[in-house]
Amino acid sequence: ILLQVKEFSCDIMKAQSLAVGNQRPSFDTNFDEFEVEVDMTDDKTESTIHTPVTKAPGGCFLTSFCFVIEVLIFSCVCLSVNIILMVTLFFSNFGKVRFRGVAGWHALIFLTLGICLCPAIFLYYILRVPSPQDSRKKIRRNCAATMLFSLLIFGCVLELLLWVFLPAESFLPLQPLNSDALSSLRNEPYRPDGCNISSVFEQTKIFFANSTLDLSSTKVIYGGAAGPFRDILAFDNAIYLKKNTCSELLKIWMVYHATILWQFQKGLWFDSFGKSFWNFVFNQEHNRDLDFTMVQRAYEEGWIIEDFEFRDQAELVQRYYISVTHNSGHNKTSFVALKHFALQILHDGI
């Protein structure tokens, strides 16, 4: 690509120089600087004036630098569009076809790169002004080489992003950036703070034993998106923990995020063009606390658990877990409504 950038920028400089060379000299021009050729083969004498070609110092380098900046800006925009398209397709509902798991994410990478990157490169080679030395065969060859090289580079960048934020979906090994929380030495019984991730996860399995939630293949990972954004995060079939995160509150939050996994397995997140996901992202109300007056009214009106927002579904189950394990919380009327909705998930009420 750098060689093509250099060749392209220098061709521009040559074209500019030729354009200057074809200008007619002004009256204050020093004619000693021009070379005059006289053609005597004809009865009529023809003379041609050639202007000496001069280049601005560093002009070719400056043009190359500007072109590299344009390529970087184009790459960032194309990568951003590619990621948005990947996420949208992941949360889209195509019937029985869903891009889940490691194979699904990598299928999305190649599919979206083919949609976003290849047409952009193809249009660039069509719209650019070729130099006189460029033949059609050379243009086609350069276009194909650029596509293959760009697919390789962009594919590696997207794989690296998966490894950093969603390591459970990457082909790369967890170490050294991430680690398996269920097999880590952090979970040994002799840990000073007495925290044991494996024990917390097993208790969560027991709590969801009568539901359709399958946690047998779920991964619990230190790292991923949990580090930069929050202490714990659930996505698809994995739970990500911030390193050194382990406390009594983790049991409560593990139940909350296990409910998020139940929503993924139930297919509640997947609809046309990822509308549910993008509504959740841009909905400013998802940071509010659960309103139990609204829960009581929903119970009286005959709602089901699917009528609540995703966050409220998880908080209903979490609040029910707190009520039955810590003997805290709510009056009898509120508890009846809370239990009614939570058991629709825990006991397959839907």
Side-chain angles (χ1 to χ4, degrees), residues 336-347:
V336 170
L338 193 64
K339 180 180 179 181
H340 169 76
F341 292 115
L343 291 184
Q344 291 183 34
I345 294 178
L346 298 174
H347 289 173

Side-chain angles (χ1 to χ4, degrees), residues 296-334:
Q296 180 63 34
R297 186 173 66 252
Y299 172 68
E300 295 172 354
E301 293 177 359
W303 286 25
I304 62 174
I305 192 67
E306 287 184 339
D307 294 329
F308 290 90
E309 295 181 358
F310 295 138
R311 177 194 176 280
D312 291 339
Q313 294 176 17
E315 189 168 350
L316 282 168
V317 178
Q318 182 190 47
R319 295 290 183 130
Y320 177 71
Y321 175 80
I322 295 173
S323 298
V324 298
T325 57
H326 294 73
N327 296 321
S328 61
H330 318 284
N331 57 48
K332 183 177 181 181
T333 304
S334 298

Side-chain angles (χ1 to χ4, degrees), residues 18-31:
L18 291 174
V20 172
N22 290 330
Q23 294 178 358
R24 299 186 64 179
S26 60
F27 289 103
D28 59 350
T29 304
N30 183 5
F31 288 92

Side-chain angles (χ1 to χ4, degrees), residues 142-163:
N142 289 344
C143 181
T146 305
M147 281 187 183
L148 291 176
F149 188 73
S150 300
L151 286 173
L152 178 63
I153 296 299
F154 274 73
C156 291
V157 171
L158 291 173
E159 179 68 31
L160 186 62
L161 290 176
L162 275 182
W163 181 62

